[in-house]
Amino acid sequence: MSTSTTTQASSKLTSRPSDPRAPSSSTPADLELDQLLSREASAFQRELEVERILKAFKLNPYDILDLDDTAKPEDIKRKYRQLSLFIHPDKTPHPRAPDAFDFLKKAEAELSEPAKRAELDATIASARSTLLRSLSLPPNLTDDDPRVKNLASDPTMMAQGLTTPWKTMLKEKIKEVLIDEEVRRRKAIKMNLANEGLEARKKEEEVASRKRKAEEDKAWEETRESRVDSWRSFSNTSKKKKKTKIAILG
């Protein structure tokens, strides 16, 4: 057989597709390396998720759980379980994993309480309608409406310099409204505390006044006998002076 024929045969063998049933050529060292890289990738993803939670807007539980306000209760619980297991401090080396875990718990608890979620949803709805009005759009548009979805590419909006996507604008508007509400809430708490402090001081002054009055009454009673004795002594002295005759000289 010629050299050229041998080369061609060798080339055909080399180019033949591998049999999927053939045993893998990976060595134990290769498998160990793959597992190590997989673990490192998983750990990196966990740390990224911790960072996302830490950077999320804390006044918006939906933002922390990476959900929107249309999520159903079962969706919220499912997402919480997934994230809490994924970034659990026992599995994540990130130093602030416990903080992120606590933020998740708080967010899920707030969204699981019907009254708190209804209040939050009303605030979000108000922010959405306010934003839509500012854009000269009907306030009842939903996020999937083409006028909203294509907002950033709308010629009229672009002419006004508004090229920000709807989702981004809505997120910022919700953040703005929630901050305003939190500021008002804290001011109200501060005012209530100040009023409570004023009432407490008034009560303390009343108690102190009654205490001083009681002490004065007690002191008055304790010195009653000495005052009576002093008065008697004074009266007797006065009577003696009246009886004394003035001697007339001459």
Side-chain angles (χ1 to χ4, degrees), residues 65-240:
L65 289 169
D66 197 21
L67 293 168
D68 57 39
D69 58 313
T70 60
K72 297 178 180 179
E74 55 268 26
D75 297 331
I76 294 171
K77 291 186 179 299
R78 187 184 305 112
K79 190 62 176 288
Y80 167 70
R81 284 196 296 268
Q82 291 173 351
L83 292 179
S84 61
L85 288 172
F86 189 62
I87 60 102
H88 195 281
D90 292 342
K91 299 179 180 179
T92 309
H94 195 292
R96 293 198 62 194
D99 295 333
F101 188 76
D102 289 341
F103 289 140
L104 280 179
K105 285 196 295 184
K106 183 180 179 183
E108 192 270 340
E110 289 180 357
L111 292 180
S112 297
E113 190 171 332
K116 285 189 176 181
R117 184 178 181 183
E119 184 179 352
L120 176 63
D121 288 348
T123 301
I124 291 174
S126 174
R128 177 184 281 107
S129 61
T130 300
L131 179 58
L132 287 169
R133 287 193 187 95
S134 70
L135 297 171
S136 301
L137 293 171
N140 58 347
L141 292 184
T142 57
D143 291 348
D144 57 353
D145 190 288
R147 287 169 290 180
V148 168
K149 292 175 68 174
N150 304 324
L151 194 64
S153 58
D154 184 89
T156 304
M157 296 299 173
M158 293 177 69
Q160 299 176 21
L162 299 174
T163 57
T164 306
W166 163 252
K167 287 285 187 180
T168 303
M169 285 195 291
L170 179 59
K171 186 175 181 178
E172 289 302 315
K173 188 61 179 180
I174 292 172
K175 183 176 182 180
E176 176 188 328
V177 172
L178 287 174
I179 289 175
D180 288 343
E181 286 203 350
E182 180 66 11
V183 169
R184 284 196 296 270
R185 187 185 70 84
R186 293 187 183 187
K187 284 183 177 178
I189 291 175
K190 188 175 181 181
M191 187 175 295
N192 289 336
L193 289 175
N195 291 335
E196 289 174 3
L198 181 60
E199 290 296 324
R201 284 195 296 274
K202 285 183 179 178
K203 289 181 180 180
E204 288 175 359
E205 290 174 359
E206 289 175 0
V207 171
S209 178
R210 288 196 295 269
K211 186 177 180 180
R212 284 195 302 271
K213 183 68 168 57
E215 290 174 349
E216 289 172 358
D217 291 344
K218 183 180 179 181
W220 177 264
E221 287 298 323
E222 289 176 349
T223 59
R224 183 171 179 275
E225 290 297 327
S226 62
R227 291 198 309 277
V228 170
D229 291 340
S230 297
W231 173 252
R232 287 172 181 168
S233 176
F234 174 75
S235 297
N236 292 335
T237 303
S238 298
K239 289 178 181 178
K240 288 179 181 179

Side-chain angles (χ1 to χ4, degrees), residues 51-61 63-64 96 99 103 106-107 110 178:
E51 288 293 336
R52 185 199 68 77
I53 294 169
L54 293 175
K55 292 176 182 178
F57 183 48
K58 301 304 180 291
L59 296 179
N60 189 352
D63 200 20
I64 295 173
R96 293 198 62 194
D99 295 333
F103 289 140
K106 183 180 179 183
E110 289 180 357
L178 287 174

